[in-house]
Amino acid sequence: MILLAGCQSGLHAPSSSDSSGAAAAVRSRLERESGGLYRNAVLSRDLAAIGDRLSEASGGMPVTVLVLDTTIANAYFAPGGYIYLTRKLLTLTGDDSETAAVIAHEMAHILSGHAEARARFGVGAAVSSADIRQAIGNSDDVRALLAKGSASIAAFSRQQELEADALAIGLLAQAGYDPAALARFLKAMQAYERAGPGGETFVASHPAPSLRVARAERLADASPSSRPGR
């Protein structure tokens, strides 16, 4: 299983060689398991406009932005240029630039081929059955093997998040949005996670929030906007 989302959780994503039917099945499953689609004509129009601006900035990547009717704050990318934001996540964005920052981050994962790379890396990092057979009878060894594989994949995921942040900031600037919006949104997400009953939950697959925010702020400072942000 590889993450469909750049952010917290997801579903198995088909490779580029999979049929459009398989891609549609992935999207259908994601929608079904995430509360279904939230339909609001005004919101849909606003999100489509943001997607169009970012698509133009990316060189024409097709973008369809949809909203999932769930109280979980998350964002996902799916085959075919589909970006899913949850209703809860949208309540954490303060303006169009911050919403665009989330969409641009997910687009960056697609443009960078992160799902495919994570799948390949996951296969390479998996603990082999021979390793487990050799360690059988020593539960400490088994746990150590599994932890090593999980840590390798988590570190790879964190690197992908940093890459997606950098590319997203470039897309924001090119599209005329405030490149500092990503750092603002990350701060809002961090505050939300800290206030939750479980504390911060995305650190395992994401860089430390404070370091990620600081890096995003530096990149934004060095990234001139093509026109005033919104």
Side-chain angles (χ1 to χ4, degrees):
M1 296 290 284
I2 61 174
L3 294 185
L4 187 65
C7 297
Q8 293 182 48
S9 63
L11 304 170
H12 178 72
S15 69
S16 57
S17 63
D18 285 346
S19 68
S20 58
V26 168
R27 295 193 297 268
S28 177
R29 179 182 166 194
L30 173 60
E31 293 167 11
R32 184 175 65 253
E33 296 183 358
S34 302
L37 292 178
Y38 174 70
R39 303 186 186 278
N40 178 289
V42 174
L43 177 60
S44 295
R45 184 185 65 233
D46 291 346
L47 292 176
I50 293 172
D52 287 344
R53 283 175 63 174
L54 291 170
S55 175
E56 182 181 357
S58 73
M61 172 187 159
V63 178
T64 301
V65 185
L66 300 172
V67 180
L68 295 169
D69 194 5
T70 176
T71 58
I72 297 172
N74 210 343
Y76 306 81
F77 66 86
Y82 282 76
I83 307 292
Y84 291 91
L85 311 180
T86 66
R87 287 184 70 184
K88 181 60 183 180
L89 181 140
L90 285 171
T91 68
L92 303 177
T93 60
D95 55 28
D96 280 359
S97 284
E98 291 184 24
T99 303
V102 179
I103 297 170
H105 178 90
E106 299 306 318
M107 289 175 62
H109 281 300
I110 298 173
L111 290 166
S112 300
H114 282 169
E116 294 84 354
R118 200 177 307 181
R120 291 193 298 271
F121 184 85
V123 170
V127 179
S128 72
S129 57
D131 289 333
I132 292 178
R133 281 198 304 272
Q134 190 172 23
I136 227 73
N138 187 330
S139 59
D140 289 339
D141 286 350
V142 172
R143 282 193 292 270
L145 282 170
L146 295 175
K148 181 180 178 181
S150 297
S152 297
I153 294 171
F156 188 70
S157 296
R158 287 193 291 270
Q159 180 59 38
Q160 287 188 335
E161 293 303 318
L162 292 174
E163 292 173 1
D165 284 350
L167 181 53
I169 289 169
L171 285 174
L172 289 174
Q174 184 65 27
Y177 290 107
D178 181 3
L182 179 61
R184 292 200 306 272
F185 172 77
L186 290 173
K187 288 179 181 178
M189 189 71 179
Q190 182 181 9
Y192 168 73
E193 288 276 325
R194 282 177 171 170
E200 291 177 314
T201 60
F202 58 78
V203 174
S205 61
H206 287 64
S210 58
L211 296 178
R212 191 177 175 195
V213 168
R215 182 175 182 271
E217 289 175 336
R218 289 196 302 271
L219 289 172
D221 287 342
S223 178
S225 297
S226 57
R227 61 179 185 266
R230 293 171 54 190

